[in-house]
Amino acid sequence: MLAVEVFRDFDEAMRLADHPRYGLAAGVFTSDVRKALRAAHCLQAGTVWVNHFGPNIDPNAPMGGYKQSGFGKDFGMAGMDKFLRTKNIAIRF
């Protein structure tokens, strides 16, 4: 199944694509690399695929969503943060 939505310009496309509550992943299909990167930065999603779509995520890359599609990240250095207990110690001599 394929869903197709018609839009007039880039800003309208971003409004249609960016869900107000969820943001696990998104896909952008275009031959214009600049537009792809601009869209990837605009979309509030934890993963943005460009010109492909699927779960072939590198285990070294952080995985997790934005908004109500995920709390924290798994994998990569970002995934390690949830296992750390950071402490700030300030000493005045």
Side-chain angles (χ1 to χ4, degrees):
M1 179 177 282
L2 175 67
V4 177
E5 183 79 36
V6 178
F7 54 89
R8 286 184 287 276
D9 58 24
F10 182 87
D11 292 332
E12 183 181 12
M14 293 300 98
R15 280 193 304 276
L16 292 169
D18 205 20
H19 194 280
R21 194 176 346 178
Y22 303 110
L24 184 58
V28 176
F29 290 84
T30 180
S31 59
D32 187 330
V33 175
R34 284 186 176 175
K35 282 184 184 175
L37 291 174
R38 184 175 168 207
H41 286 286
C42 288
L43 291 167
Q44 294 182 48
T47 298
V48 179
W49 289 287
V50 176
N51 294 334
H52 70 105
F53 196 81
N56 56 345
I57 298 173
D58 183 330
N60 295 308
M63 191 215 48
Y66 283 20
K67 306 174 200 172
Q68 291 184 25
S69 286
F71 301 99
K73 301 290 183 212
D74 291 322
F75 308 123
M77 292 305 294
M80 293 294 293
D81 287 341
K82 65 183 168 189
F83 297 105
L84 301 176
R85 290 178 51 187
T86 304
K87 182 183 294 187
N88 179 30
I89 300 173
I91 301 173
R92 182 174 296 166
F93 291 100

